Every structure is written in structure tokens, then in C-alpha cells.
């Protein structure tokens, strides 16, 4: 079942339900505003952080539950070279470019419409990112689909075509809390990831692909997110957190874990679950990585219900291509060329 509701003259909210779980999304930034999942007691829990009003979504600056691109994550030095031409993009994260710079997809209006196919029903958003937008080449035609299946799966699927070679790395920046509130450090997490990307102090990749074995990044066997998180400060495999010295520094996981995906097929990535609510979420994707972010910069943000969040109040699983791939020849390419189609599919099974 799909319902639509006008929020204002430009923004529409789409609500999709299969009778057990439901989600709502708006055409402002392709933002998923809520996901309602029944707990073990039958109570419906909104497992997404965010805001109560459109004004809140517009004012937010941490990509809450929205589409991120054209190049998600960081571009080091806010520059890259493609086919012999140098490009400079916004420096909105120190000397680097983060999540598209100052002109973000999450702050744009998309065309939204109800959608259904053999897998389920939901909403389809479309938009053309013009040649030169965000300092990037090519007119990029983008389609974003969120759909719900009868098997309690929320499918996020992105496709794109371009008329010039361009880097692309789309993702959704959903902030999950399976308890609905409080810390996520007690959430249980398991990842089918044998390696991760070492990060510099500014959270850009060093270029090193590191084994998780013997590190705080080893989630191959299930453990709570918080079990080893304080060890990141001294973990020799992690340059990002080792650079922090103060108790209030925003330490935590903010790293790309390497999946077994190769973009040709969808594979299992891992699962997260809550003892308190009994809610679990299994993740599948065709992307080569997932950026796990434990809400390290959430402190002080006022969210739904007027709650002022603390660090580690949510966790993001940003399925993606390797961050900063444009500047690392040893990383799989993130370049889309004319005649090719970009395809990204992630499945969240509750």
C-alpha cells in the first residue's frame, strides 16, 4: 500500500506499508524520514534518527537518511585527474570534499512518484545532475528507487547514465538505532568483511587495504559495536583514531569495510540486531564496501521529539564504492563512461 501526502507546494511524502513494516520518504533529497518495525513486544519502533519537520530536514547538515552523491564520502585534497584533465571540487571538510561539497543532492528537489515491480512497491525518484554541477563532468541521469517487499525487505536501488566520463558513488546515509533511542554501542554487529581501508587522521583512505584480523575492526564474529570501540584510540591498524588525544574527541568507527561484492551481483554483507527490541537488520549489497559510521559527530544535534543526541546514538551502513577511488589507482574504478549504466542495489531485511 502506498499513500502520498503533500508537505508543502514542492515536497511530497510517500508512505509504503506491507502490513508489518513501513517506511516514509520525501522527494527533498530522496530522504527516508522513518522506518517503522515491530519490536519483540509488538510495539512499532521508528529505527531512523532524523527530524520532525521539513524545516528540520532542510537545516540538518549531516546527510540524515538522504541520498548522497555524485561522489559519496571524501575526495582527498578536493581534486582529482580524469582522462588527463584536472578537476577541483568544494573543500567543505577541511582540505577535502565530503558528500558532494556545498551543493548536495540531499538538499535538492527530486521528481517522486509511486512505483511497483515484481519485487515490491515503493517510490521512484529521478533527477538530472547537470554537467559541471559540484564541479563534476557530464549530465548524469539518476534514478533512485526505495521499495518494500512482502518478505520485510527494504530495497534501495540506484541507476545512472552519463554523457561524459564522470566519477560516481551514490549511497543513502541512513542513521539507524534499532532501539529507537539511546546508544547503539549495545547493538550486536556481524560483518562478512575480512579487510578494511586504513584511514588518515582526516578520515581519507591512506590507500592501504588492511586485514581486520587482530584489530578492533574484526566483526567477522558477532560482537557489540561498543566492545572494542575505545581500543580504536590505540589500535595500530587505525591512523584516524590514533591521532585523537582528548576524551571528547569524536572517536569511533568511520571506516570503509571491504565486502565480497563485485557490483555484478548482490551478496550478504552482515547483520545488526538489538537485544532490547529484538529487531534485526540483515544487509545485502552489490557494492564493494560499506562505510560504517558510529555517529561520532552527533553530539548536540536536536532530533525527533526534541531529543538532543549524544555521540554514538546512531550507526550508518553506507554501502558504496571505495572512498577517494579517483585518487587511488589501486582501488577499483569509480568512473562511469557514456554507454555504461551505474547500478547499485542494497537490501535491508528486517
Amino acid at each position: 500500500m502506498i499513500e502520498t501526502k503533500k508537505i508543502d507546494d514542492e515536497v511530497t511524502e510517500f508512505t509504503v506499508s506491507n502490513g508489518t513494516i513501513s517506511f516514509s520518504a520525501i522527494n527533498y533529497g530522496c530522504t527516508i524520514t522513518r522506518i517503522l518495525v515491530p519490536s519483540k513486544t509488538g510495539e512499532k519502533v521508528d529505527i531512523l534518527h532524523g527530524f520532525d519537520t521539513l524545516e528540520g530536514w532542510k537545516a540538518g547538515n549531516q546527510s540524515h537518511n538522504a541520498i548522497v552523491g555524485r561522489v559519496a564520502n571524501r575526495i582527498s585534497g578536493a581534486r582529482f585527474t580524469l582522462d588527463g584533465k584536472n578537476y577541483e571540487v568544494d573543500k567543505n571538510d577541511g582540505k577535502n570534499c565530503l558528500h558532494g561539497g556545498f551543493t548536495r543532492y540531499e538538499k535538492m528537489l527530486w521528481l517522486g512518484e509511486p512505483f511497483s515491480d515484481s519485487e515490491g512497491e515503493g517510490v521512484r525518484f529521478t533527477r538530472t545532475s547537470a554537467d559541471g554541477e559540484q564541479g563534476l563532468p557530464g549530465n548524469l541521469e539518476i534514478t533512485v528507487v526505495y521499495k518494500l517487499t512482502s518478505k520485510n525487505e527494504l530495497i534501495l536501488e540506484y541507476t545512472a547514465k552519463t554523457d561524459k566520463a564522470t566519477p560516481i558513488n551514490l549511497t543513502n546515509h541512513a542513521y539507524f538505532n534499532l532501539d529507537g533511542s539511546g546508544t547503539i554501542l549495545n547493538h550486536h554487529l556481524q560483518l562478512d568483511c575480512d579487510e578494511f581501508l586504513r584511514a588518515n587522521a582526516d578520515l581519507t583512505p591512506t590507500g592501504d587495504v588492511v586485514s581486520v584480523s587482530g584489530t578492533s575492526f574484526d566483526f567477522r564474529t558477532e560482537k557489540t559495536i561498543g566492545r572494542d570501540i575505545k581500543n580504536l584510540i590505540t589500535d595500530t591498524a587505525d591512523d584516524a583514531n590514533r591521532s585523537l588525544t582528548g576524551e571528547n574527541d569524536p572517536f569511533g568507527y568511520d571506516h570503509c569495510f571491504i565486502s565480497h561484492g563485485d557490483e555484478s551481483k548482490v551478496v550478504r554483507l552482515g547483520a545488526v540486531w538489538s537485544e532490547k527490541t529484538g529487531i534485526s537488520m540483515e544487509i545485502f549489497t552489490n557494492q564493494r564496501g560499506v562505510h560504517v559510521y558510529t555517529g561520532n559527530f552527533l553530539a548536540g544535534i536536536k532530533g525527533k521529539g526534541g531529543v538532543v543526541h549524544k555521540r554514538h546514538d546512531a550507526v550508518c551502513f553506507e554501502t558504496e564504492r571505495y572512498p577517494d577511488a579517483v585518487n587511488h589507482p589501486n582501488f577499483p574504478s569509480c568512473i562511469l563512461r557514456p554507454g555504461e549504466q551505474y547500478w547499485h542495489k542494497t537490501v535491508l531485511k528486517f
Side-chain angles (χ1 to χ4, degrees):
M1 181 178 67
I2 307 174
E3 297 180 350
T4 62
K5 181 176 71 173
K6 294 290 290 185
I7 304 299
D8 65 12
D9 291 340
E10 296 181 314
V11 178
T12 300
E13 180 181 65
F14 301 83
T15 298
V16 184
S17 174
N18 68 0
T20 302
I21 67 174
S22 65
F23 77 91
S24 298
I26 55 178
N27 62 308
Y28 180 78
C30 303
T31 302
I32 304 175
T33 55
R34 70 182 66 87
I35 302 175
L36 297 177
V37 182
S39 71
K40 59 187 177 184
T41 63
E43 175 191 6
K44 290 291 181 71
V45 178
D46 183 357
I47 63 168
L48 285 186
H49 279 232
F51 308 97
D52 292 319
T53 65
L54 179 59
E55 290 71 26
W57 295 109
K58 288 184 175 181
N61 61 6
Q62 296 204 25
S63 307
H64 274 77
N65 316 339
I67 189 71
V68 176
R70 181 178 305 189
V71 180
N73 217 305
R74 291 169 174 84
I75 297 177
S76 63
R79 61 166 63 93
F80 65 93
T81 300
L82 173 59
D83 294 340
K85 183 176 179 179
N86 296 324
Y87 292 88
E88 293 192 3
V89 291
D90 293 337
K91 294 181 179 179
N92 68 323
D93 182 54
K95 64 180 181 180
N96 306 311
C97 182
L98 175 64
H99 294 331
F102 296 116
T103 308
R104 292 190 171 194
Y105 287 179
E106 71 195 72
K107 302 299 182 185
M108 297 176 181
L109 287 168
W110 295 62
L111 176 64
E113 57 187 350
F115 173 85
S116 64
D117 63 11
S118 60
E119 288 185 308
E121 59 181 6
V123 56
R124 175 171 57 198
F125 300 107
T126 54
R127 183 179 178 275
T128 297
S129 178
D131 184 17
E133 187 174 79
Q134 299 179 337
L136 299 172
N139 294 294
L140 188 72
E141 298 179 8
I142 312 168
T143 299
V144 174
V145 172
Y146 303 143
K147 56 188 172 183
L148 194 57
T149 77
S150 60
K151 299 177 181 178
N152 294 335
E153 298 165 326
L154 176 58
I155 298 175
L156 293 73
E157 192 163 13
Y158 321 98
T159 55
K161 293 182 179 180
T162 183
D163 58 3
K164 293 181 182 178
T166 186
I168 182 172
N169 187 15
L170 302 177
T171 194
N172 183 282
H173 207 298
Y175 284 78
F176 293 101
N177 185 311
L178 303 188
D179 291 341
S181 62
T183 183
I184 50 82
L185 296 183
N186 56 7
H187 284 27
H188 294 254
L189 177 63
Q190 185 273 323
L191 296 174
D192 298 336
C193 299
D194 304 315
E195 299 172 313
F196 74 101
L197 299 183
R198 187 196 299 271
N200 291 304
D202 63 358
L203 298 173
T204 58
T206 65
D208 298 323
V209 180
V210 183
S211 171
V212 301
S213 181
T215 76
S216 306
F217 297 84
D218 193 348
F219 286 93
R220 291 174 297 181
T221 299
E222 179 189 297
K223 65 181 180 181
T224 62
I225 293 174
R227 194 189 81 176
D228 296 327
I229 199 165
K230 288 188 176 180
N231 296 335
L232 291 172
I233 298 294
T234 56
D235 196 320
T236 56
D238 179 30
D239 297 336
N241 285 286
R242 286 176 64 209
S243 68
L244 303 178
T245 56
E247 182 180 347
N248 294 319
D249 284 335
F251 78 92
Y253 294 100
D254 198 347
H255 299 75
C256 184
F257 289 73
I258 308 307
S259 77
H260 292 283
D262 63 3
E263 301 194 16
S264 67
K265 61 182 179 180
V266 174
V267 299
R268 185 184 186 276
L269 178 65
V272 59
W273 70 279
S274 160
E275 287 186 48
K276 179 180 178 180
T277 61
I279 294 173
S280 65
M281 183 176 76
E282 194 170 15
I283 307 167
F284 303 81
T285 189
N286 74 329
Q287 294 299 284
R288 297 179 184 274
V290 57
H291 198 87
V292 177
Y293 169 59
T294 50
N296 309 326
F297 296 93
L298 283 178
I301 292 179
K302 183 181 289 188
K304 295 176 180 177
V307 173
V308 178
H309 291 301
K310 300 177 181 178
R311 178 177 59 193
H312 305 153
D313 270 4
V315 59
C316 304
F317 300 99
E318 304 161 52
T319 51
E320 62 178 10
R321 289 173 162 177
Y322 290 10
D324 200 29
V326 287
N327 289 310
H328 293 275
N330 59 313
F331 287 179
S333 175
C334 68
I335 304 303
L336 179 70
R337 297 185 179 277
E340 301 174 343
Q341 177 172 274
Y342 170 83
W343 176 57
H344 172 174
K345 185 174 184 177
T346 292
V347 181
L348 308 175
K349 184 172 184 178
F350 298 99

